[in-house]
Amino acid sequence: MSFVPFLLETSTTILPSSGGGASTTAAATSSGIFGNPIMLIVAYCVLLVVVMYFLSVRPNQKREKKMAELRNSIAVGDSIVTNSGLFGKVVDVTYECFIIEFGMNKGVRVPVIKSEVFAKREPNLSNEAPVQIEEPKKKKGLFRRGEE
């Protein structure tokens, strides 16, 4: 006798034994939404999509929104740095680009697409490193969060 036709047959009914209620609860729990293996796989895939959204898509959207606000706040006369690391001063703003003067060339104006502007920042032209203020690190224990 082969087990495959028995497993594929859907008209087979399994009745609980008269010995106790343990088999009736097992039959009741397997008939829920996650009793079907296909529904379990679908639920697992939905869970993975939700986790990937919160770990990768949402932080990128926040970062892009912050960069768009920064690019919209740039005005004529601001010093900027591009994605390639060039410092310049904004001379004019158009719909899709900034007109920038790089370095000491006051007559040379280069159009740069707005998406290539990285930050609003003045270059450090001295030989000294900027002073960084070190804040003491807060020790976080397993059960004492932030307490010292």
Side-chain angles (χ1 to χ4, degrees):
M1 180 174 173
S2 174
F3 288 111
V4 175
F6 176 74
L7 294 176
L8 294 178
E9 186 177 329
T10 59
S11 64
T12 306
T13 57
I14 300 175
L15 300 174
S17 65
S18 61
S23 61
T24 59
T25 58
T29 57
S30 67
S31 66
I33 190 169
F34 296 114
N36 189 355
I38 294 176
M39 290 303 294
L40 186 64
I41 292 171
V42 169
Y44 181 71
C45 291
V46 168
L47 179 70
L48 282 178
V49 168
V50 169
V51 167
M52 290 305 293
Y53 174 77
F54 281 106
L55 291 180
S56 63
V57 174
R58 194 163 180 239
N60 284 340
Q61 287 177 345
K62 285 184 177 182
R63 191 176 311 119
E64 288 296 323
K65 184 178 178 183
K66 187 190 301 184
M67 289 300 290
E69 289 174 2
L70 173 93
R71 289 178 183 130
N72 289 334
S73 70
I74 293 175
V76 175
D78 289 341
S79 293
I80 55 111
V81 62
T82 62
N83 284 342
S84 59
L86 295 173
F87 287 95
K89 189 167 287 242
V90 176
V91 178
D92 193 16
V93 179
T94 64
Y95 176 72
E96 66 179 12
C97 63
F98 294 114
I99 309 298
I100 301 174
E101 288 181 345
F102 290 104
M104 301 304 288
N105 301 326
K106 296 296 179 189
V108 179
R109 296 177 176 190
V110 178
V112 175
I113 295 177
K114 287 185 178 183
S115 63
E116 292 299 315
V117 173
F118 179 68
K120 225 181 353 178
R121 189 173 116 186
E122 291 282 336
N124 183 7
L125 300 176
S126 67
N127 288 336
E128 298 176 7
V131 179
Q132 296 179 354
I133 301 172
E134 294 184 18
E135 297 179 9
K137 295 181 180 178
K138 294 181 180 178
K139 295 181 180 179
K140 292 185 178 179
L142 184 61
F143 298 108
R144 297 178 290 144
R145 295 184 179 253
E147 296 178 17
E148 292 182 11

